[in-house]
Amino acid sequence: MNMWAYLGFMALVVGYLAYHRVANKKPDLSLTDRQDPRKHWAQAAMALYQGDVGDAGYWSGNDAREKLSGGWSTTTRDELLELIQRYIDGECNVGFDKLRIIWLARLGFGAGWIDEATSWNYVFGAVAELQRAYGSWPELYDAQNAGRTEWYGGPSEVPSGSQKFAERNYAYATKQFFGVVPYR
């Protein structure tokens, strides 16, 4: 095979891979979402909960489904809705439960398991409850930590990495969001 044929073949392969990567990725509308104060607030809450990973609603379907199955043991839409309902009913405390609802609702949209309107309805309901229950981002952070501690079964059961992850997320959310996103 001559060099030009080889280069042409390689260009086709690269083009094919690039097309499929772009075709399977949802546009990241997180900057547009910042125009809606409720969505911008939800971005800040997701940053507090998960750090700098962005809005999972804009992840690829495969990435969102992988996170749901791997991190949440949730492999179907029905399982996701049952999990969200458990947190709506209350498992630990308002802060921890509602942050999980925000995260899971956006993951569910990213996975293609729930539509965007349904995802935002779950998010906005959780946002309203968080704003009623707590007066500031630091209070919500403290509630999240208390809920995580309860979920693990006590302070001695919380893995040290989990607390470090929460502290890193809080620092990130504080730097990127809390100065521009009022709590109420």
Side-chain angles (χ1 to χ4, degrees), residues 85-105:
Q85 188 60 51
R86 181 184 329 155
Y87 301 147
I88 289 171
D89 295 341
E91 182 180 69
C92 292
N93 68 27
V94 173
F96 191 54
D97 290 342
K98 301 318 174 199
L99 285 170
R100 294 187 291 177
I101 290 169
I102 292 169
W103 182 245
L104 288 170

Side-chain angles (χ1 to χ4, degrees), residues 26-105:
K26 294 179 185 168
D28 185 346
L29 301 175
S30 59
L31 291 177
T32 303
D33 286 347
R34 291 182 183 190
Q35 303 308 308
D36 180 330
R38 297 174 307 166
K39 290 180 180 180
H40 200 192
W41 199 99
Q43 289 177 346
M46 284 184 275
L48 175 64
Y49 187 66
Q50 288 292 317
D52 62 354
V53 298
D55 180 341
Y58 301 122
W59 290 5
S60 74
N62 288 338
D63 289 345
R65 286 186 295 276
E66 184 177 308
K67 182 61 135 178
L68 284 162
S69 66
W72 294 88
S73 302
T74 303
T75 59
T76 67
R77 178 184 190 277
D78 289 340
E79 289 175 348
L80 173 65
L81 296 177
E82 288 173 19
L83 190 58
I84 290 173
Q85 188 60 51
R86 181 184 329 155
Y87 301 147
I88 289 171
D89 295 341
E91 182 180 69
C92 292
N93 68 27
V94 173
F96 191 54
D97 290 342
K98 301 318 174 199
L99 285 170
R100 294 187 291 177
I101 290 169
I102 292 169
W103 182 245
L104 288 170

